[in-house]
């Protein structure tokens, strides 16, 4: 199992121990995560536009993982996001699913962080709100402070480059 997921591009050796701790011993989960990694992970190159069948399959896999495993670290990775141009409509479905998970797990920092990661590109203000909640829940954890600073820096850079184009 270890080498299968590594080959699928789901985890690097450095991340492997933490990732394995999060895996639940359910074959369906492993199958979906491995499929997502094989079709869309770093080995394949997520930036390469797949055909429509692969797009739809990837979208369904991401939505299934949100619904069934909102605490999984796969949501922190590019493969667990819906940020490609063809994902626009499905992104909104995923966003809605994350809000439902937030109601279900209102004080779970893993779910909050995964939702924030999902929302980062298209809804940075919502992402920031979730990260601020993580900070309130775990004020001594520096990871949330770093992620918030990174988000703000990224948004600041994007705003500056947009302002320059407007001139």
């Amino acid at each position: 199992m270890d080498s299968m997921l590594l080959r699928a591009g789901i985890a690097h050796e450095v991340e492997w121990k933490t990732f394995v701790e999060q895996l639940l011993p359910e074959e369906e989960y492993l199958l979906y995560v491995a499929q997502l990694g094989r079709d869309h992970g770093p080995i394949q190159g997520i930036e390469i536009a797949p055909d429509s069948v692969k797009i739809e399959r990837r979208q369904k896999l991401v939505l299934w993982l949100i619904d069934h495993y909102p605490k999984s670290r796969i949501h922190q990775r590019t493969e667990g996001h819906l940020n490609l141009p063809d994902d626009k409509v499905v992104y909104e479905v995923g966003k809605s699913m994350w809000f439902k998970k937030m109601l279900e797990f209102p004080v779970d920092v893993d779910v909050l962080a995964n939702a924030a990661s999902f929302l980062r590109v298209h809804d940075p203000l919502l992402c920031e709100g979730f990260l601020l909640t993580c900070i309130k829940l775990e004020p001594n954890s520096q990871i949330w402070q770093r992620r918030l600073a990174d988000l703000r820096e990224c948004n600041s850079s994007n705003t500056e480059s947009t302002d320059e184009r407007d001139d």
Side-chain angles (χ1 to χ4, degrees):
M1 176 174 70
D2 298 355
S3 62
M4 175 188 76
L5 291 175
L6 284 172
R7 281 194 314 266
I10 294 301
H12 301 289
E13 290 180 356
V14 176
E15 301 170 322
W16 185 244
K17 182 180 177 194
T18 307
F19 186 78
V20 168
E21 289 170 2
Q22 298 244 332
L23 290 178
L24 297 175
E26 297 184 21
E27 287 184 34
E28 192 172 29
Y29 174 81
L30 294 175
L31 175 71
Y32 284 0
V33 169
Q35 182 67 51
L36 196 59
R38 268 194 304 276
D39 286 353
H40 309 287
I43 292 172
Q44 281 292 321
I46 191 93
E47 64 281 347
I48 298 171
D51 61 41
S52 61
V53 172
K54 282 189 174 183
I55 290 170
E56 188 176 323
R57 181 171 55 203
R58 179 183 53 80
Q59 292 169 341
K60 286 179 180 179
L61 290 171
V62 170
L63 295 177
W64 185 89
L65 288 164
I66 293 169
D67 190 35
H68 292 87
Y69 296 95
K71 297 179 186 188
S72 172
R73 288 179 55 94
I74 190 68
H75 301 294
Q76 296 292 320
R77 299 183 53 83
T78 306
E79 298 91 338
H81 298 172
L82 294 170
N83 295 331
L84 298 176
D86 293 325
D87 294 338
K88 205 170 203 170
V89 173
V90 180
Y91 170 82
E92 293 299 323
V93 173
K95 179 178 168 181
S96 174
M97 290 174 73
W98 276 117
F99 280 111
K100 287 178 186 172
K101 292 301 173 185
M102 300 300 302
L103 294 173
E104 194 176 334
F105 304 100
V107 294
D108 189 313
V109 291
D110 290 330
V111 175
L112 285 161
N114 288 341
S117 183
F118 182 87
L119 298 167
R120 181 183 168 109
V121 171
H122 296 296
D123 292 294
L125 291 177
L126 289 173
C127 174
E128 183 173 330
F130 291 147
L131 291 173
L132 287 169
T133 304
C134 288
I135 291 169
K136 287 178 188 173
L137 292 170
E138 292 184 350
N140 296 325
S141 176
Q142 293 299 307
I143 190 169
W144 313 127
Q145 300 282 350
R146 283 193 302 271
R147 287 188 186 177
L148 183 60
D150 181 54
L151 174 70
R152 287 177 174 167
E153 182 180 327
C154 215
N155 286 339
S156 170
S157 298
N158 289 340
T159 304
E160 289 171 11
S161 57
T162 302
D163 291 344
E164 290 171 7
R165 279 185 258 143
D166 291 342
D167 291 340

